[in-house]
Amino acid sequence: MGRIKRFLACSAAVLLLCAQSCSLSIYAKPYRKGATQTKQIALTFDDGPSIRNTEEILAILKEYGIRATFFVIGENAAADPDRIRMIHKAGHEIGNHTYTHAYISKISGDTLREEIRKTEDVLKEITGERPTVFRPPGGYYDEASLAILEEMGYQSILWSLDTKDWCMPKSDTIASKIEENAVGGDIILFHDLNDKRLPTPEALKRILPYLKENGYEFVTISEMIENEAG
């Protein structure tokens, strides 16, 4: 009889854990890639806005009729509200990338909440909209930070294809990497750094027509998630 009770107790515990696991929302883990059977690609730009590159990137995206997602740093946004307005007015999605580019797995929960809220407040003041997507700087996160992001209503976003443009490779190197590796559902990581050496604008001029000619459609991160859910 004792064995039966222990078995039933263990079974109940397992069922409880399964129920808790199944009840976790999509926010509980980072979103890295969309549906591979589609020909949708999401372009993302981290760390802006920047004096040197934001406007050129926006001009190139406009030329090809493409909407993207910009994960901006709060203190950069606060110092340059006009470029945030440009991004927003052009119809791009704006995401939260912390206020100081803090590595969220290395700061306290209270500090993380402050980093998120300060950026959120700045962006809402400038655009009238609260961001709902978040990219952890450097791609670093842990379970505790993911729980806080979920609590604050954010979907954490990573990427499936990294251009490593922050290393300042040649634009042709970036373009070749995309042309050889891009597939449907990819989330491509670029940067909008305040550095005149950034190869991203020149790389985009080659990448975008190539991908469009090969039948790819460009969507924002939120659109990719919604399309997959629908």
Side-chain angles (χ1 to χ4, degrees), residues 96 99 110 112-123 151-152 154:
N96 193 322
Y99 196 79
D110 286 343
L112 173 55
R113 289 183 180 89
E114 182 181 9
E115 288 270 343
I116 293 172
R117 287 198 186 101
K118 285 179 71 175
T119 303
E120 192 175 282
D121 290 346
V122 167
L123 294 177
E151 167 199 314
M152 299 184 76
Y154 280 90

Side-chain angles (χ1 to χ4, degrees), residues 41-48 50 53 57 60-61 66-73 97 101 135-138 157-179 182 186-194 198-209 211 218-219 221:
I41 283 179
L43 304 181
T44 64
F45 299 87
D46 286 9
D47 298 350
S50 72
N53 290 296
I57 290 170
I60 295 167
L61 295 176
I66 290 170
R67 294 171 65 228
T69 301
F70 288 75
F71 289 98
V72 302
I73 297 172
H97 198 44
H101 202 264
R135 173 165 284 162
I157 308 297
L158 293 179
W159 56 85
S160 57
L161 190 51
D162 185 357
T163 65
K164 297 190 183 296
D165 55 349
W166 60 273
C167 294
M168 307 300 167
K170 293 181 179 179
S171 60
D172 285 347
T173 299
I174 293 175
S176 295
K177 182 176 183 178
I178 301 299
E179 291 170 359
D186 267 334
I187 298 172
I188 303 180
L189 171 61
F190 293 99
H191 289 80
D192 178 15
L193 302 174
N194 193 33
L198 189 71
T200 301
E202 287 303 313
L204 288 172
K205 292 174 185 177
R206 173 174 153 183
I207 293 165
L208 300 187
L211 292 175
F218 296 89
V219 294
I221 289 294

Side-chain angles (χ1 to χ4, degrees), residues 4-216:
I4 294 175
K5 287 183 178 180
R6 285 196 296 273
F7 172 78
L8 291 173
C10 290
S11 297
V14 170
L15 289 172
L16 177 60
L17 287 172
C18 288
Q20 290 173 337
S21 175
C22 293
S23 69
L24 291 176
S25 75
I26 60 171
Y27 300 117
K29 61 181 180 180
Y31 185 82
R32 299 172 182 270
K33 189 179 180 72
T36 56
Q37 69 269 25
T38 71
K39 293 209 76 173
Q40 292 185 336
I41 283 179
L43 304 181
T44 64
F45 299 87
D46 286 9
D47 298 350
S50 72
I51 295 171
R52 294 186 181 275
N53 290 296
T54 300
E55 291 180 53
E56 186 175 6
I57 290 170
L58 290 175
I60 295 167
L61 295 176
K62 181 179 180 180
E63 179 181 352
Y64 292 98
I66 290 170
R67 294 171 65 228
T69 301
F70 288 75
F71 289 98
V72 302
I73 297 172
E75 61 183 1
N76 289 355
D80 197 355
D82 288 343
R83 286 184 176 81
I84 292 295
R85 291 188 189 97
M86 288 178 189
I87 295 170
H88 184 255
K89 186 176 180 180
H92 301 291
E93 181 172 30
I94 300 178
N96 193 322
H97 198 44
T98 74
Y99 196 79
T100 64
H101 202 264
Y103 289 164
I104 66 174
S105 61
K106 299 181 180 181
I107 58 178
S108 70
D110 286 343
T111 301
L112 173 55
R113 289 183 180 89
E114 182 181 9
E115 288 270 343
I116 293 172
R117 287 198 186 101
K118 285 179 71 175
T119 303
E120 192 175 282
D121 290 346
V122 167
L123 294 177
K124 191 170 183 180
E125 175 69 23
I126 297 170
T127 70
E129 296 180 6
R130 174 192 175 278
T132 59
V133 290
F134 175 91
R135 173 165 284 162
Y140 298 113
Y141 65 90
D142 56 16
E143 290 185 6
S145 58
L146 290 181
I148 290 171
L149 289 166
E150 178 180 15
E151 167 199 314
M152 299 184 76
Y154 280 90
Q155 170 69 67
S156 181
I157 308 297
L158 293 179
W159 56 85
S160 57
L161 190 51
D162 185 357
T163 65
K164 297 190 183 296
D165 55 349
W166 60 273
C167 294
M168 307 300 167
K170 293 181 179 179
S171 60
D172 285 347
T173 299
I174 293 175
S176 295
K177 182 176 183 178
I178 301 299
E179 291 170 359
E180 293 167 9
N181 294 284
V183 296
D186 267 334
I187 298 172
I188 303 180
L189 171 61
F190 293 99
H191 289 80
D192 178 15
L193 302 174
N194 193 33
D195 191 322
K196 66 180 181 181
R197 300 172 300 158
L198 189 71
T200 301
E202 287 303 313
L204 288 172
K205 292 174 185 177
R206 173 174 153 183
I207 293 165
L208 300 187
Y210 171 84
L211 292 175
K212 293 200 81 168
E213 287 166 8
N214 282 273
Y216 287 98

